[in-house]
Amino acid sequence: MSRKRKKQIRSDTTPASKVAYLLSDEAYQTLCISGYTSLDKCPEIMTACRRVAEIIGSMTIYIMSNTDRGDIRIVNELSRAIDIEPMPTMTRQAWMEAIVMNLLLYGGGNSIVVPHTYRGYLQSLEPIAAYRVSFVPDSGSYRDYTVLIDGKAHRPDSVLHFVHNPDEVYLWKGRGMQVSLRDLAHNLRQAAETERGFMASKWKPSIIVKVDGLTDDFASPEGRRKLLQQYIESAEAGEPWMIPSEQFSVEQVRPLSLADLAINDTVQLDKRMVAAIIGVPPFLLGVGDYSQDAWNSFIQTTVRTIVTGIQQEMTRKLIISPNWYVKFNTLSLMDWDLNTLYTVFAGLADKGIVTGNEVRDRIGMAPLDGLDELRILENYIPADRIGDQAKLNGGN
């Protein structure tokens, strides 16, 4: 009877049983994910889109007017409604962030804003949550469509419809970045789940103790726990172990680490791909170091492209005057150090192009009296009057 029991214990210690965990349902649930991964559940994609939305939300919105002397800024109740109070229950920053997040992420390349008026005057611009909106193409037409908000039909000219990445069939509709980012979102989520499962897993011991399978106490969990308490666990740190050499053999092993799985390299590559598709610098996702040139390029390309579409839609739907248009102040986002600002604007001031107070405003200083006049150095004169200088004719 005893011999039969010992033989059964030996069969449980075969090499196949040591890898049984990796083939079990528990390992699959811990280290693998399944099903559809929405883009807003991926931290990297959410971070990139959120950063773009925050940047666009921080820009001042101007109403400009075309004149014979160039474009000038218009300050009136309409400009205040758009730039300061677009929605009574939201700040302008949160309002614009909601629009851009719908455009890039939640709405799949579409963002709807409903203007509310009273007696012809604009009262508010209400952004609509993406789940409340659907688009229905008109029968037999690829050009006309109807916007459904909570099931209620609206004509496209009665709402602001911001579009990102137009659809290949219905050109008036955006399709966002779902197709391009879907696999990357799945890979990043898989990496995060694998790392979390690996770090939380109990299957990474730093010490392995070989025990003779013939030992009666080794047959049950209670017996194995008793052996650990009796021979291996110690009351004080550094206390030596006293174990019988006939039954125990202790080996130190190096457990598998995340570096061995090459997860970090894969994640870094996927983050760079996410940054490239969305159009943000990789350092915004924690990859690489900050670069001033990369930041300025990001503002001049990605951000400028998105706000151009927004300001064009606002101009054609909200502005009646043919000489007015909406403009976002993208120059305020450029990363210029104080030295660059001084060199550029001081040079413009010396040439009489800007005033002293305009220079002070660019470097964050309050205006001063007497600096609102255009001044020019005495030797900046027209080329045809070089010979009229008094110092060339014996004068002072």
Side-chain angles (χ1 to χ4, degrees):
M1 190 71 170
S2 175
R3 180 175 300 176
K4 181 178 180 181
R5 181 181 179 185
K6 291 178 182 178
K7 184 177 181 180
Q8 182 178 1
I9 294 174
R10 286 185 179 277
S11 66
D12 291 339
T13 57
T14 58
S17 65
K18 297 180 182 180
V19 298
Y21 170 74
L22 297 177
L23 304 177
S24 65
D25 292 338
E26 180 184 357
Y28 179 80
Q29 295 173 0
T30 301
L31 301 178
C32 299
I33 61 173
S34 60
Y36 173 72
T37 303
S38 59
L39 298 185
D40 59 344
K41 296 299 187 294
C42 179
E44 290 78 11
I45 296 176
M46 173 66 77
T47 299
C49 294
R50 173 63 62 188
R51 188 56 174 155
V52 174
E54 291 173 349
I55 290 171
I56 295 177
S58 67
M59 282 190 288
T60 304
I61 304 176
Y62 297 156
I63 291 183
M64 305 294 293
S65 175
N66 294 318
T67 68
D68 295 337
R69 300 181 57 190
D71 297 348
I72 61 174
R73 182 180 178 184
I74 300 296
V75 179
N76 54 19
E77 290 301 317
L78 179 60
S79 67
R80 178 179 178 86
I82 294 176
D83 185 48
I84 300 177
E85 298 175 342
M87 187 69 184
T89 57
M90 303 173 68
T91 63
R92 201 287 308 275
Q93 173 81 20
W95 172 77
M96 182 53 67
E97 283 187 30
I99 293 174
V100 178
M101 288 301 291
N102 280 341
L103 186 64
L104 297 180
L105 194 59
Y106 306 131
N110 300 275
S111 185
I112 295 296
V113 175
V114 176
H116 296 284
T117 60
Y118 178 72
R119 293 183 178 179
Y121 290 95
L122 182 65
Q123 299 297 308
S124 64
L125 296 168
E126 179 188 3
I128 307 300
Y131 77 92
R132 298 172 54 193
V133 179
S134 59
F135 303 93
V136 180
D138 289 355
S139 178
S141 174
Y142 289 95
R143 182 182 63 183
D144 300 322
Y145 64 101
T146 301
V147 180
L148 298 181
I149 302 176
D150 297 329
K152 183 179 179 181
H154 296 262
R155 296 304 304 167
D157 56 0
S158 66
V159 298
L160 301 181
H161 181 191
F162 303 110
V163 175
H164 181 65
N165 190 15
D167 187 80
E168 59 182 358
V169 177
Y170 300 106
L171 304 182
W172 43 263
K173 181 182 179 181
R175 63 176 180 176
M177 300 169 289
Q178 279 81 355
V179 176
S180 302
L181 292 173
R182 185 179 302 161
D183 292 338
L184 291 175
H186 181 83
N187 293 344
L188 289 170
R189 185 183 174 196
Q190 174 66 75
E193 290 295 332
T194 302
E195 181 178 354
R196 186 180 299 111
F198 182 84
M199 298 303 295
S201 175
K202 61 184 179 181
W203 299 94
K204 51 179 190 303
S206 57
I207 293 180
I208 292 180
V209 180
K210 289 184 179 180
V211 181
D212 187 2
L214 298 177
T215 304
D216 292 337
D217 291 335
F218 190 70
S220 64
E222 293 77 9
R224 291 191 291 271
R225 190 176 301 108
K226 180 179 178 182
L227 286 175
L228 289 174
Q229 293 175 351
Q230 182 177 359
Y231 293 107
I232 298 178
E233 291 183 0
S234 57
E236 298 181 3
E239 183 177 349
W241 291 351
M242 305 296 292
I243 58 176
S245 60
E246 296 83 4
Q247 296 179 343
F248 291 90
S249 175
V250 180
E251 296 181 4
Q252 183 177 4
V253 298
R254 180 179 178 271
L256 189 67
S257 66
L258 291 175
D260 298 321
L261 299 178
I263 288 181
N264 185 60
D265 295 338
T266 303
V267 169
Q268 296 282 324
L269 180 61
D270 287 342
K271 285 184 177 181
R272 289 186 180 275
M273 289 296 295
V274 169
I277 293 174
I278 298 180
V280 301
F283 58 79
L284 291 181
L285 301 181
V287 181
D289 299 325
Y290 173 80
S291 170
Q292 184 182 30
D293 293 337
W295 173 266
N296 289 336
S297 176
F298 160 61
I299 299 300
Q300 293 291 344
T301 54
T302 302
V303 173
R304 181 184 290 275
T305 300
I306 294 174
V307 301
T308 297
I310 295 175
Q311 65 191 20
Q312 288 178 353
E313 179 71 359
M314 294 177 69
T315 298
R316 74 191 189 103
K317 296 288 183 66
L318 298 178
I319 305 298
I320 298 177
S321 173
N323 296 324
W324 291 7
Y325 64 93
V326 176
K327 177 184 177 182
F328 284 71
N329 185 19
T330 55
L331 288 179
S332 63
L333 301 177
M334 300 294 289
D335 184 11
W336 288 333
D337 57 76
L338 195 59
N339 247 355
T340 303
L341 286 174
Y342 174 78
T343 302
V344 172
F345 285 95
L348 294 175
D350 290 343
K351 294 177 174 62
I353 299 175
V354 298
T355 66
N357 278 332
E358 287 175 322
V359 177
R360 292 177 64 87
D361 178 68
R362 292 300 304 176
I363 61 179
M365 301 177 69
L368 294 177
D369 294 337
L371 293 181
D372 290 322
E373 297 180 0
L374 293 175
R375 300 177 183 273
I376 191 169
L377 294 180
E378 62 173 354
N379 56 335
Y380 289 101
I381 60 176
D384 57 352
R385 298 193 59 191
I386 293 178
D388 297 339
Q389 299 180 75
K391 62 183 179 181
L392 298 179
N393 300 319
N396 295 324

